[in-house]
């Protein structure tokens, strides 16, 4: 009879461990899911804008103080204007929260145009990427990006930017972490109780 009770206790403990593992894995997946976001500038009127452009996800600031919407004549892409009304000024992009899987599109490139994209997280510079043509600038190798500094080295007409695409870096809620910790403490207590029996 005692051996049967022990086998039953072992089976129950194994089921509890499987349940705890599956519940923990599902919680982790739910906590860290990213939500894809695309910033385009269609809500802004075409033309020069003094001061930064502010979206719910980021603030775009020109070193000269002026950002032009519709710079390449394609759609609502933006550029940082210099004092000669060319798209050759530097621009800073400050994200509201950390982002992952970041990319954006460049357009309006002419021979002699290039931009060094400096990528930052909350602790400082993560690295730099050189963009010297029209197309996708893929920064997905960098995690928890909080800021870009677009160092424009152009000698042509300059470069325009659009379609900033990224996933918000999700951080689990403290209350959820507390619940997981409480569940683990409970499992530990149950295991000690079962070991005493």
């Amino acid at each position: 009879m005692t051996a049967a009770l022990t086998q039953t206790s072992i089976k129950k403990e194994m089921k509890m461990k499987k349940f705890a593992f599956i519940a923990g894995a599902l919680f982790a997946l739910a906590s860290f899911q990213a939500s894809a976001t695309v910033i385009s500038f269609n809500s802004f009127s075409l033309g020069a804008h003094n001061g930064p452009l502010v979206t719910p996800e980021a603030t775009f600031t020109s070193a000269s103080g002026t950002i032009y919407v519709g710079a390449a004549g394609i759609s609502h892409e933006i550029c940082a204007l210099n004092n000669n009304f060319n798209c050759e000024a530097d621009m800073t992009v400050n994200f509201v929260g950390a982002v992952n899987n970041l990319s954006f599109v460049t357009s309006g490139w002419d021979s002699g145009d290039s931009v060094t994209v400096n990528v930052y997280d909350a602790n400082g510079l993560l690295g730099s990427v050189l963009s010297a043509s029209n197309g996708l600038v893929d920064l997905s190798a960098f995690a928890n990006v909080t800021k870009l500094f677009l160092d424009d080295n152009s000698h042509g007409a300059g470069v325009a930017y659009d379609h900033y695409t990224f996933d918000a870096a999700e951080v689990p809620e403290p209350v959820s972490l507390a619940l997981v910790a409480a569940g683990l403490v409970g499992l530990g207590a149950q295991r000690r109780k079962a070991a005493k029996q």
Side-chain angles (χ1 to χ4, degrees):
M1 185 89 168
T2 317
L5 285 176
T6 304
Q7 284 184 342
T8 304
S9 298
I10 291 172
K11 286 180 183 178
K12 284 183 182 179
E13 185 176 336
M14 292 299 288
K15 285 182 183 180
M16 289 300 291
K17 284 182 180 180
K18 284 181 186 178
F19 175 77
F21 176 77
I22 292 170
L26 289 174
F27 174 77
L29 287 173
S31 295
F32 294 102
Q33 281 184 343
S35 55
T37 301
V38 177
I39 300 175
S40 64
F41 303 94
N42 295 334
S43 63
F44 295 95
S45 61
L46 296 174
H49 294 259
N50 291 323
L53 286 184
V54 179
T55 70
E57 303 84 10
T59 299
F60 299 81
T61 307
S62 168
S64 69
T66 305
I67 293 182
Y68 196 88
V69 178
I74 299 169
S75 182
H76 282 75
E77 62 285 338
I78 65 169
C79 77
L81 291 177
N82 64 13
N83 294 334
N84 296 325
F85 213 69
N86 288 323
C87 293
E88 296 176 354
D90 298 337
M91 184 171 7
T92 302
V93 181
N94 287 301
F95 294 96
V96 172
V99 302
N100 294 323
N101 300 317
L102 176 61
S103 66
F104 61 92
V105 175
T106 60
S107 57
W109 180 85
D110 284 330
S111 179
D113 289 341
S114 68
V115 175
T116 302
V117 181
N118 297 297
V119 183
Y120 296 84
D121 68 3
N123 297 315
L125 181 66
L126 294 171
S128 300
V129 173
L130 180 67
S131 175
S133 65
N134 290 331
L136 184 70
V137 177
D138 184 1
L139 304 174
S140 61
F142 301 103
N144 298 314
V145 175
T146 57
K147 178 174 112 174
L148 299 177
F149 179 71
L150 306 172
D151 186 6
D152 197 315
N153 306 303
S154 296
H155 301 293
V159 178
Y161 314 98
D162 201 2
H163 297 296
Y164 285 79
T165 304
F166 55 87
D167 296 329
E170 298 281 335
V171 178
E173 298 174 27
V175 172
S176 300
L177 290 176
L179 287 173
V180 169
L184 292 174
V185 168
L187 285 173
Q190 182 180 9
R191 186 173 183 185
R192 280 192 296 277
K193 183 180 178 182
K196 286 181 182 179
Q197 294 176 355

